[in-house]
Amino acid sequence: MGIKRIVKLIFTLMMFLAFVGCGKTSDTGEKGAEKKETGKKKIRVAIIHAGFLGDKSFNDSANEGIQRAMKEYDVEVKTLESKVPSDWETNVVAMASEGYDLVIGNSSQFQDIIKKHASEFPDVKFAIIDSVVKEPNVMSVVFAQNEGSFLAGATAALFTQKTDIPNVNKEKVIGWVGGMDVPVLQDFLTGYKQGAEYIDPETKVLVSFAGTFNDPLKGKELALAQYSQGADIIMNVASNTGNGILEAAKDTKKYAIGVDINQDGIYPGFILTSMLKRVDVGTYEVIKSVVEDKFMGGQVLKMNVANGGIGLTDMKTMKEALGDKFPTDISEKILELTEKIKSGEIKVNSYPGFKFE
């Protein structure tokens, strides 16, 4: 093979790699359909995850919003997945360079990346889920996770008092296991502790960070340690790492609280409730705004308890599992606290330095 041919092949390969980006990718829209029959240009959306689909949590919730948008609108979607930080920036730049109409960073970990590159692509619309980037071509979606965690902490503190339920001990100890120690998760934790203290100041809260959102074995290890220290119930705030936390609850016949989407049915009878963080709604609304030509750069979409963007599941699965032993007073109390948060009677603290804006 001649030198010129080798050089040509290397150049072609480099261009191909730059085109597809890094990490796992998938086209979930109709390939090759640049235009509808009406001649209108198809909207092209790229969503980039700091992890993988199948986490039964944050990423899967975003994907639900993507699927809804695809059913309702004629959009083409490329999904990129990777747990490698260097891939995230490469993928953002690659999708913007390729001319996608909307590039979504599905994690607060994209904040610096999008802030750095948004101005380089003024004709591309960007969105960030779970953080704020103040640029004229970026739409941000944020959540009052502290409010939802307040309700989760109150639920856990009430539950740990129910010693007539199997494997609930007499100690007032609850747990919390997070993925990475980042401001968003600290905001979760702030609300959780406040909710537990609101019910009973004597409630002890065990706290652990796994340092990753993609290690179920680490999540299980941390959860087992907390159960061994007397926790009856642990809140999972760890994406894919959290699947190990839920599994630990099932294996020890203890209890857990899910996060982001309804995880109650993963291990029925061991997951009391889940804190719903409607990432699906946020993702869908951003795509809708682009399709309907209503995208507002610099806008922050705020989702909280008052507008239904945050809340708890109805505990139906646990009610079915426990039958007559299910403590109905917990559901009643949570409904009361929810209304007090909505009305402003209860002010939920935020993590210092973290602003819901």
Side-chain angles (χ1 to χ4, degrees):
M1 182 181 292
I3 296 297
K4 290 184 178 179
R5 188 177 180 187
I6 293 173
V7 171
K8 184 177 180 180
L9 286 173
I10 292 173
F11 179 76
T12 302
L13 178 61
M14 290 175 65
M15 291 299 294
F16 175 76
L17 291 174
F19 179 79
V20 300
C22 297
K24 182 179 177 183
T25 68
S26 62
D27 287 298
T28 49
E30 182 183 345
K31 292 185 177 180
E34 280 297 314
K35 296 184 180 181
K36 299 189 220 178
E37 292 180 3
T38 60
K40 185 177 180 180
K41 182 178 180 293
K42 180 186 284 288
I43 298 296
R44 300 168 71 227
V45 178
I47 181 165
I48 306 165
H49 299 284
F52 300 94
L53 296 178
D55 64 349
K56 302 177 184 178
S57 186
F58 194 89
N59 295 332
D60 282 357
S61 182
N63 192 52
E64 288 181 6
I66 291 288
Q67 297 303 316
R68 178 185 171 189
M70 290 177 63
K71 287 180 180 178
E72 296 184 17
Y73 301 104
D74 189 22
V75 296
E76 176 186 334
V77 178
K78 180 184 284 290
T79 300
L80 296 96
E81 309 163 56
S82 177
K83 67 177 182 179
V84 182
S86 60
D87 286 351
W88 306 338
E89 183 169 11
T90 300
N91 287 337
V92 168
V93 173
M95 294 301 96
S97 299
E98 197 176 322
Y100 273 78
D101 299 287
L102 174 65
V103 177
I104 304 173
N106 187 42
S107 170
S108 63
Q109 296 176 90
F110 286 97
Q111 184 179 38
D112 291 341
I113 295 170
I114 292 178
K115 185 175 182 179
K116 175 182 176 182
H117 293 288
S119 62
E120 299 171 7
F121 303 94
D123 296 329
V124 175
K125 298 175 177 66
F126 292 86
I128 183 165
I129 309 296
D130 222 16
S131 191
V132 174
V133 173
K134 293 183 177 179
E135 293 292 337
N137 57 334
V138 181
M139 187 171 175
S140 305
V141 181
V142 294
F143 303 84
Q145 54 273 322
N146 58 328
E147 293 181 353
S149 283
F150 177 98
L151 296 174
T155 300
L158 289 165
F159 188 81
T160 194
Q161 299 174 6
K162 307 298 182 181
T163 54
D164 57 324
I165 294 176
N167 296 315
V168 173
N169 59 50
K170 294 181 180 180
E171 299 177 44
K172 298 177 182 178
V173 181
I174 62 176
W176 186 97
V177 177
M180 295 182 69
D181 187 353
V182 293
V184 170
L185 262 67
Q186 287 287 352
D187 204 45
F188 269 100
L189 181 56
T190 298
Y192 189 71
K193 287 181 174 179
Q194 185 183 353
E197 184 178 5
Y198 184 92
I199 296 300
D200 186 348
E202 295 183 358
T203 304
K204 182 178 180 180
V205 181
L206 304 177
V207 177
S208 301
F209 283 96
T212 173
F213 289 110
N214 292 289
D215 189 347
L217 291 178
K218 183 65 174 181
K220 185 172 184 177
E221 173 190 327
L222 294 174
L224 290 174
Q226 291 191 1
Y227 287 133
S228 71
Q229 295 173 60
D232 299 303
I233 184 167
I234 296 172
M235 185 176 183
N236 151 41
V237 192
S239 190
N240 189 35
T241 296
N243 287 309
I245 300 166
L246 304 181
E247 184 177 310
K250 183 258 299 181
D251 288 353
T252 59
K253 299 190 185 305
K254 292 283 189 176
Y255 303 93
I257 293 175
V259 74
D260 296 331
I261 63 177
N262 189 339
Q263 297 183 321
D264 299 8
I266 295 177
Y267 298 114
F270 300 103
I271 304 172
L272 175 59
T273 187
S274 298
M275 194 204 95
L276 302 176
K277 186 171 179 177
R278 300 304 302 272
V279 179
D280 60 324
V281 175
T283 305
Y284 168 82
E285 289 295 335
V286 170
I287 297 173
K288 178 182 177 182
S289 74
V290 175
V291 173
E292 297 184 352
D293 200 23
K294 296 178 180 178
F295 182 90
M296 294 179 63
Q299 180 181 2
V300 178
L301 176 59
K302 305 175 182 180
M303 307 190 71
N304 55 24
V305 166
N307 63 23
I310 293 287
L312 297 186
T313 60
D314 59 9
M315 309 185 203
K316 179 181 177 181
T317 302
M318 185 60 83
K319 289 177 184 176
E320 293 174 352
L322 291 180
D324 293 340
K325 286 186 176 293
F326 180 81
T328 56
D329 60 312
I330 293 182
S331 297
E332 294 167 357
K333 186 64 175 180
I334 294 307
L335 288 175
E336 174 192 324
L337 296 180
T338 299
E339 291 306 313
K340 287 183 176 180
I341 291 174
K342 288 181 178 180
S343 69
E345 182 178 342
I346 292 179
K347 302 289 186 182
V348 182
N349 299 329
S350 295
Y351 175 60
F354 183 88
K355 294 182 180 180
F356 175 52
E357 60 180 351

